Amino acid sequence: MQQSRWFAPVGAAVAFLAVHAVLWWLATTLPNQPIGDVEITYRRWIATGLTDHVWVGTDTAWVYPILAILPMAAAAIGGVEHIATGWLALMVVLDAVACVFLWRFRALGVRVVWWWLLFLLALGPIGLGRIDTVATAVAMIGVCFVATRPAVASAVFTAAAWVKVWPAALVGVLLVLRRGHRRGVVVGALTVTAVVVLVDVLFGGAAYLLSFVGQQSGRALQIESPLATPFMWAAAAHVPGAAVYYDTGILTFEVSGAGTHLAAALSTPLMTVVVLGGVLLAAWAVGRGARRTDVAPVLALLFVAALIATNKVGSPQYVGWFAVPIVWGLVAGRGSARRFLPVAIAAVPMALLTQVIYPGYYDQVLTVQPWILVVLTLRNVLEVALLVWAVVAVVRMGLGGTRGRVGAGAGTAAAAGAAGSDGVSGADGPARTRPPRGRMDA
């Protein structure tokens, strides 16, 4: 009995170490600079701060919210020249902490940690090699508090959003669907924000506190984004004007051609329409009797999918964001877990296709080889499919909401049983002058 009790956590720890050892090895051996941002851009930012006392986000405008500087600086504690090693070690520790919080949660009898490890392995070294890793790991911890302490979940999501903006969408889900807890959600978010703003102002960064908001506005279509897919095929077909080029100001590869500027200009309005439409659909579904605990993770997935599928930026690390709403759906009760099972399954090949694209064969993406464009198209189709699935799921819950109220008592008992057995209580370097061999995401 004693051996069996320790077998599961020991086995998970071994699996965690094995997966992250593989990711570390891939990050340091694969071509196309899997951790190029860390080794070049992050290193340059920290080195400039240490030597010239000019810090991005406080002394100059920056592309990220201000808390993103903390893990970058922490990774350089052993020396700026060793920032890559420090970064990978820090990401492993963050993932380990998130796994510890997730350990008690099961979905349909299986610990959710196993799915996340499989997803990370499929996603590859990009799962460790960007600032998004920090925001995702922190947001994953926030998911663990959604059901029992929404105010804490809100605070954790807000902290993650001050690293990379997207987890703010998760706070939005809590505001929309955690009726009776909205005051706590607001207090949690405002408390974290107040602390961040106060510290930043004390360090003299008030003028650039929100500089990240407008830093991406001038971007064209990044080559991996779903909106860029038809233009990439046009470049492969040698359509006049369609081509891949390197933007030295933003440090990323983009696609040119007739219609690309219009598509880039429409991306933000399209994203806004989809997000607001999701809010209205969720409110409608709840009004018809759908359980808020079921709608919440679907709305979270809808938000994240909208931020990715309609974005003019298509950085590969964005795929890692999907893990958070999927885990939320898997731990929100048996009914929700069954609903999210197809999504969890589909997310794994989507992550694997992303690894094939970058860093696997990114050089062939840049030269618009047809075979890798097929891979890119399939990956992008899956991203859009998850968005469509989320929309359809909310509609179906709304249409079945009245029937759902009839079995509310049984559903509550089932959720309580799930809480007892599954641990789930239910959740209502120098600047470059020419393109690098890999990809950069400033």
Side-chain angles (χ1 to χ4, degrees):
M1 181 66 69
Q2 188 72 11
Q3 286 182 331
S4 62
R5 190 174 70 177
W6 285 103
F7 180 78
V10 170
V14 171
F16 175 90
L17 292 175
V19 166
H20 283 76
V22 170
L23 296 180
W24 190 310
W25 176 72
L26 292 173
T28 54
T29 59
L30 287 182
N32 299 317
Q33 298 179 315
I35 53 174
D37 274 27
V38 177
E39 295 180 306
I40 299 171
T41 310
Y42 299 180
R43 174 183 289 172
R44 184 176 72 245
W45 285 333
I46 299 303
T48 300
L50 292 174
T51 57
D52 300 337
H53 305 292
V54 176
W55 291 93
V56 289
T58 55
D59 300 311
T60 63
W62 199 26
V63 71
Y64 295 131
I66 190 60
L67 284 189
I69 199 66
L70 296 182
M72 297 177 189
I77 287 178
V80 176
E81 66 278 10
H82 301 301
I83 192 171
T85 300
W87 180 268
L88 291 173
L90 180 60
M91 296 307 103
V92 172
V93 171
L94 282 174
D95 279 359
V97 172
C99 283
V100 169
F101 275 92
L102 281 176
W103 175 249
R104 68 187 180 92
F105 293 97
R106 298 175 186 266
L108 305 177
V110 179
R111 293 189 187 274
V112 177
V113 165
W114 290 107
W115 176 84
W116 192 34
L117 290 177
L118 178 63
F119 179 81
L120 285 174
L121 186 62
L123 185 58
I126 197 66
L128 297 181
R130 296 294 188 274
I131 190 65
D132 301 70
T133 307
V134 179
T136 299
V138 174
M140 198 70 80
I141 295 171
V143 169
C144 299
F145 293 98
V146 164
T148 56
R149 295 179 177 86
V152 174
S154 175
V156 175
F157 289 153
T158 302
W162 278 103
V163 175
K164 194 73 186 276
V165 178
W166 72 267
L170 306 178
V171 180
V173 174
L174 296 179
L175 285 173
V176 172
L177 295 175
R178 289 299 273 147
R179 186 177 65 181
H181 298 275
R182 290 193 180 111
R183 181 176 179 179
V185 170
V186 171
V187 170
L190 289 182
T191 299
V192 171
T193 298
V195 171
V196 171
V197 170
L198 176 61
V199 173
D200 187 61
V201 169
L202 291 176
F203 276 89
Y208 300 105
L209 178 66
L210 300 178
S211 61
F212 62 90
V213 174
Q215 286 292 296
Q216 308 253 10
S217 59
R219 296 186 75 147
L221 285 182
Q222 190 170 306
I223 59 176
E224 301 107 308
S225 66
L227 292 175
T229 303
F231 303 104
M232 291 293 287
W233 280 106
H238 305 289
V239 173
V244 172
Y245 69 96
Y246 184 70
D247 189 319
T248 57
I250 303 178
L251 306 179
T252 192
F253 288 95
E254 298 175 342
V255 62
S256 63
T260 54
H261 292 296
L262 177 61
L266 290 176
S267 65
T268 300
L270 177 61
M271 185 186 300
T272 303
V273 169
V274 174
V275 169
L276 291 178
V279 172
L280 293 176
L281 275 178
W284 167 79
V286 169
R288 284 184 54 87
R291 297 177 69 240
R292 294 172 184 270
T293 56
D294 290 335
V295 177
V298 178
L299 183 60
L301 178 63
L302 191 156
F303 282 171
V304 170
L307 293 176
I308 295 172
T310 64
N311 205 323
K312 60 185 174 182
V313 181
S315 301
Q317 63 268 23
Y318 288 8
V319 173
W321 303 357
F322 279 112
V324 177
I326 290 174
V327 166
W328 187 343
L330 291 175
V331 304
R334 292 188 181 275
S336 179
R338 285 193 296 270
R339 183 179 299 110
F340 268 81
L341 184 58
V343 179
I345 293 172
V348 174
M350 180 178 65
L352 184 59
L353 291 173
T354 302
Q355 184 176 177
V356 172
I357 295 163
Y358 183 80
Y361 295 93
Y362 197 65
D363 53 343
Q364 307 228 6
V365 177
L366 299 180
T367 55
V368 288
Q369 299 301 310
W371 80 268
I372 196 63
L373 291 188
V374 171
V375 175
L376 178 61
T377 302
L378 288 174
R379 196 283 307 271
N380 289 345
V381 166
L382 283 172
E383 290 180 349
V384 175
L386 292 189
L387 173 59
V388 173
W389 179 93
V391 172
V392 172
V394 175
V395 171
R396 291 182 65 182
M397 283 189 285
L399 293 176
T402 303
R403 292 190 298 273
R405 282 190 180 276
V406 175
T412 303
S421 60
D422 296 348
V424 177
S425 57
D428 245 44
R432 289 180 174 267
T433 57
R434 59 182 181 180
R437 290 186 299 107
R439 72 181 318 289
M440 302 294 294
D441 296 303

